[in-house]
Amino acid sequence: MTVVAVIGGGIVGASAAFHLALAGIETVLVDSATDGRATSAGAGIVAPGTSLRSTPGFAELARPAVTYYPELVRKLRDLGVQEPGYEVCGKLVVANTAEKAEQLPANTALFRQRHRDSMPNIGEIEEITPAMARELLPTLGDVLSAIYVPGAARVDGAKMRAALTEGARTLGARVILGSAELQVTNNQVMGISINGERISTDAVVLAAGAWTNQALLPLGATLPIDPQKGQIIHIDMPGQDTTHWPILDWSASQYQLSFGPSRVVCGATREFHSGYDLRVTPAGVKEILDEQLALCPGLAHGTIAEVRVGLRPYSADVTPFIGAIPGVGNLVISSGHGPSGLMLGPYSGLLAAELARGETPAIDLEPYRLDRPIVSAIPPA
């Protein structure tokens, strides 16, 4: 194999391009730099062992994905890329209602069992007092109980995407800004066209996120992937060093994590049927602030630095698509990661690169095949 093109410059596509170039493949990465890209908006929690999700295939993909993160960071640093945006910071799990306090011991037992079963990014869990929790996170208000998970990690999506792109470029990949179109003959993808140039390829990796179906138009194919809008508030905390603040989890649909020197990230809304609406809305901001300030009243003294909006590529059954469309040659798709894109994306990009090279991936991709039966988990409009 001589040439592979990757369509999509988010974290999945950048990872696919990096791993193809690392394997010595002539690689072309096409980045449309579209506003609303989920990778650029989001901040990722890399700790599947503390997740209560039961989505089919999630644990099977999350375990190797999280295990691979430190190795990936080493590979990037070996190339001179010093700011990949991945850090182990710990996670604070709190109970702020009587119901959650009653459930926390059972959840703690589950997390400890996963640690014994060698799930990464957990560590030795510590039961701590509410006062100790506030020492770890000074903005935190009154809670009933808490645990600390020391192995949890966070990733800055924009930094990791930039690091993977820089690594791919360092290894010789060509990076083109623009919108690519598949070139198809008799259901075989022969290459791409972009900015008036036609590039013949041996394979194409499609990692276009929420824009996957637009990219599939030349094939007349669609996948059950839709944008899920997320509004995310970034708060600066003047006079506070947030570098070592832990991730905060309170068994809600929202999350909170921090980056140095003084940034707190609060989010996010989960807006189905949003289309490609990138507006920051009063309702979205209110939803986030009501939840976050009730739990962390100390955030009220911060400054809203920005509100980011990202469109998550959300598959109808909340399981990613990784593989080929039956009957279509030379095309590999990796998309539909929904809210787990920053955790699963780098490894999913590696899997897509292996498939594009004709290799057998290290894990069974049956749960992620494109022609699987789909039972939609998306609520009706």
Side-chain angles (χ1 to χ4, degrees):
M1 178 168 294
T2 56
V3 183
V4 176
V6 179
I7 299 177
I11 197 165
V12 178
S15 174
F18 171 74
H19 288 99
L20 286 164
L22 189 64
I25 302 297
E26 184 178 345
T27 305
V28 178
L29 173 61
V30 178
D31 183 3
S32 66
T34 305
D35 289 342
R37 183 166 55 190
T39 295
S40 300
I45 298 170
V46 188
T50 58
S51 172
L52 299 177
R53 288 176 57 186
S54 57
T55 307
F58 174 72
E60 292 79 5
L61 184 57
R63 181 187 294 270
V66 173
T67 301
Y68 182 61
Y69 246 114
E71 180 182 347
L72 175 60
V73 170
R74 286 193 295 271
K75 289 177 179 178
L76 289 167
R77 287 181 172 155
D78 286 347
L79 288 171
V81 180
Q82 298 300 319
E83 294 294 337
Y86 172 87
E87 298 174 284
V88 174
C89 61
K91 184 176 186 180
L92 187 60
V93 182
V94 301
N96 59 334
T97 67
E99 181 181 0
K100 291 176 183 179
E102 184 177 346
Q103 184 60 37
L104 187 57
N107 292 344
T108 303
L110 173 64
F111 303 158
R112 284 175 168 156
Q113 183 59 55
R114 289 172 176 172
H115 176 55
R116 289 191 291 270
D117 293 339
S118 300
M119 175 66 82
N121 288 41
I122 299 178
E124 295 291 342
I125 295 173
E126 182 182 358
E127 296 177 46
I128 62 175
T129 66
M132 294 168 66
R134 284 190 292 274
E135 289 180 9
L136 291 170
L137 190 64
T139 57
L140 186 66
D142 293 332
V143 296
L144 299 177
S145 55
I147 62 171
Y148 180 64
V149 183
R154 64 191 175 205
V155 62
D156 184 318
K159 284 187 176 180
M160 180 55 71
R161 184 207 66 80
L164 289 164
T165 303
E166 180 184 344
R169 188 183 280 112
T170 299
L171 291 165
R174 180 185 176 193
V175 180
I176 306 175
L177 293 178
S179 297
E181 182 176 335
L182 295 174
Q183 298 297 299
V184 180
T185 302
N186 296 326
N187 266 8
Q188 298 289 304
V189 176
M190 311 304 293
I192 62 171
S193 62
I194 178 169
N195 301 337
E197 177 185 4
R198 177 165 180 157
I199 301 173
S200 297
T201 65
D202 298 279
V204 173
V205 173
L206 178 56
W211 294 267
T212 295
N213 284 320
Q214 286 91 322
L216 286 172
L217 285 174
L219 284 165
T222 59
L223 288 171
I225 295 174
D226 288 296
Q228 186 203 51
K229 180 180 177 180
Q231 301 183 56
I232 304 165
I233 299 177
H234 286 235
I235 298 174
D236 279 335
M237 298 298 297
Q240 298 269 19
D241 182 0
T242 63
T243 304
H244 302 294
W245 286 9
I247 300 159
L248 181 60
D249 180 355
W250 61 103
S251 300
S253 62
Q254 294 191 28
Y255 62 83
Q256 183 187 125
L257 52 82
S258 305
F259 295 102
S262 59
R263 180 63 61 97
V264 177
V265 181
C266 300
T269 63
R270 299 173 186 269
E271 301 173 49
F272 293 101
H273 313 292
S274 61
Y276 295 88
D277 176 14
L278 298 178
R279 293 175 305 126
V280 174
T281 65
V285 171
K286 182 179 186 299
E287 176 187 334
I288 297 168
L289 290 180
D290 282 351
E291 180 90 12
Q292 301 278 340
L293 290 175
L295 188 65
C296 293
L299 291 175
H301 304 293
T303 301
I304 294 180
E306 59 179 318
V307 181
R308 298 183 185 180
V309 179
L311 302 174
R312 307 177 188 97
Y314 205 95
S315 74
D317 63 355
V318 206
T319 298
F321 292 100
I322 306 173
I325 299 176
V328 176
N330 303 336
L331 179 67
V332 174
I333 295 177
S334 183
S335 187
H337 294 80
S340 301
L342 295 182
M343 177 166 57
L344 305 177
Y347 189 70
S348 294
L350 167 62
L351 294 173
E354 291 175 341
L355 289 171
R357 299 201 313 265
E359 297 184 358
T360 300
I363 69 168
D364 180 12
L365 296 182
E366 176 69 16
Y368 321 105
R369 75 180 198 270
L370 276 66
D371 61 344
R372 66 180 182 262
I374 298 290
V375 177
S376 180
I378 297 176

